[in-house]
Amino acid sequence: MSDAGKDDARTGGCQCGGVRYELTGEAAELYACHCLECRKLTASAFSMSLQVRIADFRITGGEPKFWTRPSDKGNTIKCGFCPTCGSRIWHETLGEKEWMTLKPGSLDEPVNYADAIHIWTRRKLPGFEIPEGAEQYPGEPD
Ligand SMILES: [Zn+2]
Ligand SMILES: [Zn+2]
């Protein structure tokens, strides 16, 4: 790749630091997903996903492991995680060549939660308040 991306490279990694990565380029949308799968994966209220280009993402340390699961749309989602601490780091849809979703809580520099588009809000935990003015969808946006 060219040197152009190096200045704006962002770094991140799992909870134990065993898996590290570098991200260049501009990310697309940031989502906060309240679906049941995302609650299970985080064991928490929701999961955040940052759309980034596969070509912009590079593992710089450690060896992630993978597991796959079917998506609602009939695709197969490949999930990358740290084999030591278990942190989920990214998802790819098998066959998709351009975009993947990074779990942005793993970035060293925080993303701005106020930018998140909330999806599957009809599944959100009781009592969870979507920030006022946030773009939101009861299910998956088209
Ligand atoms: Zn780890
Ligand atoms: Zn979800």
Side-chain angles (χ1 to χ4, degrees):
M1 293 276 121
S2 73
D3 288 327
K6 279 186 180 160
D7 289 339
D8 58 8
R10 290 192 275 176
T11 55
C14 65
Q15 187 175 10
C16 77
V19 176
R20 297 287 301 164
Y21 65 80
E22 189 177 85
L23 178 70
T24 54
E26 285 287 307
E29 305 290 10
L30 175 66
Y31 291 101
C33 182
H34 299 262
C35 82
L36 183 57
E37 291 285 353
C38 286
R39 268 162 39 200
K40 286 290 185 186
L41 107 78
T42 57
S44 187
F46 63 95
S47 174
M48 289 172 78
S49 292
L50 183 66
Q51 290 182 304
V52 302
R53 287 197 162 77
I54 293 169
D56 290 343
F57 177 76
R58 193 167 67 90
I59 295 292
T60 54
E63 291 210 12
K65 280 199 167 177
F66 301 95
W67 78 288
T68 58
R69 67 170 181 86
S71 77
D72 286 346
K73 289 178 181 160
N75 296 317
T76 300
I77 300 179
K78 181 178 155 190
C79 310
F81 63 96
C82 171
T84 303
C85 70
S87 293
R88 191 73 60 82
I89 302 171
W90 82 96
H91 290 172
E92 290 178 51
T93 300
L94 289 190
E96 164 63 42
K97 298 275 187 270
E98 189 171 11
W99 296 96
M100 54 175 260
T101 58
L102 181 70
K103 294 294 159 199
S106 66
L107 281 163
D108 297 332
E109 280 209 9
V111 291
N112 189 347
Y113 173 69
D115 294 338
I117 299 166
H118 291 256
I119 64 174
W120 284 107
T121 56
R122 70 165 169 261
R123 299 267 163 82
K124 74 182 177 64
L125 287 188
F128 185 90
E129 297 216 12
I130 307 289
E132 211 179 293
E135 192 175 338
Q136 55 178 292
Y137 299 88
E140 188 119 356
D142 296 327

Short mmCIF file of all heavy atoms in Angstrom, two decimals, residues 43-66:
data_model
loop_
_atom_site.label_atom_id
_atom_site.label_comp_id
_atom_site.label_asym_id
_atom_site.label_seq_id
_atom_site.Cartn_x
_atom_site.Cartn_y
_atom_site.Cartn_z
N ALA A 43 -22.65 -10.25 25.56
CA ALA A 43 -23.18 -10.53 26.89
C ALA A 43 -23.58 -9.23 27.57
O ALA A 43 -23.42 -9.06 28.78
CB ALA A 43 -22.18 -11.32 27.75
N SER A 44 -24.08 -8.31 26.77
CA SER A 44 -24.41 -6.98 27.27
C SER A 44 -25.62 -6.44 26.53
O SER A 44 -26.35 -7.18 25.89
CB SER A 44 -23.19 -6.08 27.10
OG SER A 44 -23.40 -4.83 27.72
N ALA A 45 -25.83 -5.12 26.58
CA ALA A 45 -27.08 -4.54 26.07
C ALA A 45 -27.14 -4.51 24.55
O ALA A 45 -28.20 -4.67 23.96
CB ALA A 45 -27.26 -3.13 26.63
N PHE A 46 -26.02 -4.25 23.90
CA PHE A 46 -26.02 -4.14 22.45
C PHE A 46 -24.59 -4.26 21.95
O PHE A 46 -23.65 -4.30 22.75
CB PHE A 46 -26.63 -2.81 21.97
CG PHE A 46 -25.86 -1.59 22.41
CD1 PHE A 46 -24.91 -1.03 21.57
CD2 PHE A 46 -26.06 -1.03 23.67
CE1 PHE A 46 -24.19 0.08 21.97
CE2 PHE A 46 -25.34 0.08 24.07
CZ PHE A 46 -24.41 0.64 23.22
N SER A 47 -24.44 -4.34 20.63
CA SER A 47 -23.11 -4.42 20.04
C SER A 47 -22.93 -3.30 19.05
O SER A 47 -23.86 -2.93 18.35
CB SER A 47 -22.97 -5.78 19.33
OG SER A 47 -21.74 -5.84 18.65
N MET A 48 -21.73 -2.75 19.00
CA MET A 48 -21.44 -1.73 18.00
C MET A 48 -20.67 -2.35 16.85
O MET A 48 -19.87 -3.27 17.04
CB MET A 48 -20.65 -0.58 18.63
CG MET A 48 -21.52 0.24 19.56
SD MET A 48 -20.59 1.45 20.49
CE MET A 48 -20.35 2.70 19.25
N SER A 49 -20.93 -1.83 15.67
CA SER A 49 -20.25 -2.30 14.45
C SER A 49 -19.86 -1.11 13.61
O SER A 49 -20.70 -0.24 13.34
CB SER A 49 -21.21 -3.18 13.62
OG SER A 49 -21.49 -4.38 14.29
N LEU A 50 -18.62 -1.08 13.19
CA LEU A 50 -18.12 -0.02 12.32
C LEU A 50 -17.81 -0.64 10.96
O LEU A 50 -17.03 -1.59 10.88
CB LEU A 50 -16.86 0.60 12.93
CG LEU A 50 -16.25 1.79 12.20
CD1 LEU A 50 -17.20 3.00 12.22
CD2 LEU A 50 -14.91 2.16 12.83
N GLN A 51 -18.43 -0.11 9.92
CA GLN A 51 -18.18 -0.64 8.58
C GLN A 51 -16.86 -0.11 8.06
O GLN A 51 -16.69 1.11 7.92
CB GLN A 51 -19.28 -0.20 7.62
CG GLN A 51 -20.63 -0.85 7.86
CD GLN A 51 -21.62 -0.39 6.83
OE1 GLN A 51 -21.85 0.80 6.68
NE2 GLN A 51 -22.21 -1.33 6.12
N VAL A 52 -15.96 -1.03 7.77
CA VAL A 52 -14.65 -0.64 7.23
C VAL A 52 -14.34 -1.52 6.02
O VAL A 52 -14.94 -2.59 5.84
CB VAL A 52 -13.52 -0.76 8.28
CG1 VAL A 52 -13.82 0.09 9.51
CG2 VAL A 52 -13.28 -2.21 8.69
N ARG A 53 -13.40 -1.06 5.20
CA ARG A 53 -13.00 -1.86 4.04
C ARG A 53 -12.04 -2.97 4.47
O ARG A 53 -11.11 -2.73 5.25
CB ARG A 53 -12.33 -0.97 2.99
CG ARG A 53 -13.29 -0.09 2.27
CD ARG A 53 -12.70 0.47 0.98
NE ARG A 53 -13.75 0.94 0.12
CZ ARG A 53 -14.39 2.10 0.32
NH1 ARG A 53 -14.04 2.89 1.31
NH2 ARG A 53 -15.37 2.46 -0.48
N ILE A 54 -12.27 -4.16 3.94
CA ILE A 54 -11.40 -5.29 4.24
C ILE A 54 -9.95 -4.94 3.92
O ILE A 54 -9.03 -5.28 4.67
CB ILE A 54 -11.86 -6.54 3.43
CG1 ILE A 54 -13.23 -7.00 3.92
CG2 ILE A 54 -10.84 -7.68 3.55
CD1 ILE A 54 -13.91 -8.04 3.03
N ALA A 55 -9.75 -4.22 2.82
CA ALA A 55 -8.39 -3.86 2.38
C ALA A 55 -7.70 -2.90 3.35
O ALA A 55 -6.48 -2.76 3.33
CB ALA A 55 -8.43 -3.25 0.99
N ASP A 56 -8.47 -2.23 4.21
CA ASP A 56 -7.91 -1.25 5.14
C ASP A 56 -7.54 -1.87 6.49
O ASP A 56 -7.04 -1.17 7.37
CB ASP A 56 -8.92 -0.13 5.41
CG ASP A 56 -9.13 0.77 4.22
OD1 ASP A 56 -8.29 0.75 3.30
OD2 ASP A 56 -10.15 1.49 4.20
N PHE A 57 -7.84 -3.14 6.67
CA PHE A 57 -7.69 -3.79 7.97
C PHE A 57 -6.55 -4.81 7.91
O PHE A 57 -6.46 -5.60 6.99
CB PHE A 57 -9.01 -4.51 8.31
CG PHE A 57 -8.98 -5.27 9.61
CD1 PHE A 57 -9.06 -4.62 10.82
CD2 PHE A 57 -8.89 -6.67 9.62
CE1 PHE A 57 -9.06 -5.33 12.02
CE2 PHE A 57 -8.88 -7.38 10.80
CZ PHE A 57 -8.97 -6.70 12.01
N ARG A 58 -5.68 -4.75 8.91
CA ARG A 58 -4.51 -5.63 8.90
C ARG A 58 -4.18 -6.08 10.32
O ARG A 58 -4.04 -5.25 11.23
CB ARG A 58 -3.32 -4.84 8.34
CG ARG A 58 -2.11 -5.68 7.97
CD ARG A 58 -1.15 -4.85 7.13
NE ARG A 58 -0.55 -3.76 7.92
CZ ARG A 58 0.58 -3.89 8.61
NH1 ARG A 58 1.24 -5.02 8.60
NH2 ARG A 58 1.06 -2.87 9.30
N ILE A 59 -4.05 -7.39 10.52
CA ILE A 59 -3.63 -7.92 11.82
C ILE A 59 -2.12 -7.67 11.96
O ILE A 59 -1.35 -8.01 11.07
CB ILE A 59 -3.92 -9.44 11.91
CG1 ILE A 59 -5.43 -9.71 11.88
CG2 ILE A 59 -3.28 -10.04 13.16
CD1 ILE A 59 -6.18 -9.23 13.11
N THR A 60 -1.72 -7.07 13.07
CA THR A 60 -0.31 -6.75 13.28
C THR A 60 0.31 -7.57 14.41
O THR A 60 1.52 -7.53 14.63
CB THR A 60 -0.12 -5.25 13.61
OG1 THR A 60 -0.95 -4.92 14.73
CG2 THR A 60 -0.50 -4.39 12.42
N GLY A 61 -0.51 -8.29 15.17
CA GLY A 61 0.02 -9.11 16.24
C GLY A 61 -0.96 -10.20 16.65
O GLY A 61 -2.17 -9.96 16.65
N GLY A 62 -0.43 -11.37 16.95
CA GLY A 62 -1.28 -12.45 17.42
C GLY A 62 -2.00 -13.16 16.29
O GLY A 62 -1.89 -12.78 15.12
N GLU A 63 -2.71 -14.21 16.66
CA GLU A 63 -3.44 -15.00 15.66
C GLU A 63 -4.88 -15.17 16.11
O GLU A 63 -5.17 -15.96 17.00
CB GLU A 63 -2.79 -16.38 15.51
CG GLU A 63 -1.44 -16.29 14.86
CD GLU A 63 -1.12 -17.55 14.06
OE1 GLU A 63 -2.02 -18.39 13.83
OE2 GLU A 63 0.05 -17.70 13.70
N PRO A 64 -5.77 -14.43 15.45
CA PRO A 64 -7.17 -14.57 15.81
C PRO A 64 -7.70 -15.95 15.43
O PRO A 64 -7.14 -16.63 14.58
CB PRO A 64 -7.87 -13.49 14.98
CG PRO A 64 -6.94 -13.19 13.87
CD PRO A 64 -5.56 -13.45 14.38
N LYS A 65 -8.76 -16.35 16.09
CA LYS A 65 -9.49 -17.56 15.70
C LYS A 65 -10.84 -17.14 15.14
O LYS A 65 -11.24 -15.97 15.28
CB LYS A 65 -9.69 -18.47 16.92
CG LYS A 65 -8.47 -19.29 17.24
CD LYS A 65 -8.83 -20.47 18.12
CE LYS A 65 -7.65 -21.44 18.16
NZ LYS A 65 -7.92 -22.56 19.05
N PHE A 66 -11.53 -18.10 14.55
CA PHE A 66 -12.79 -17.79 13.90
C PHE A 66 -13.86 -18.79 14.25
O PHE A 66 -13.56 -19.96 14.51
CB PHE A 66 -12.61 -17.80 12.37
CG PHE A 66 -11.58 -16.82 11.90
CD1 PHE A 66 -10.27 -17.22 11.70
CD2 PHE A 66 -11.91 -15.49 11.69
CE1 PHE A 66 -9.30 -16.32 11.29
CE2 PHE A 66 -10.95 -14.59 11.29
CZ PHE A 66 -9.65 -14.99 11.08
#
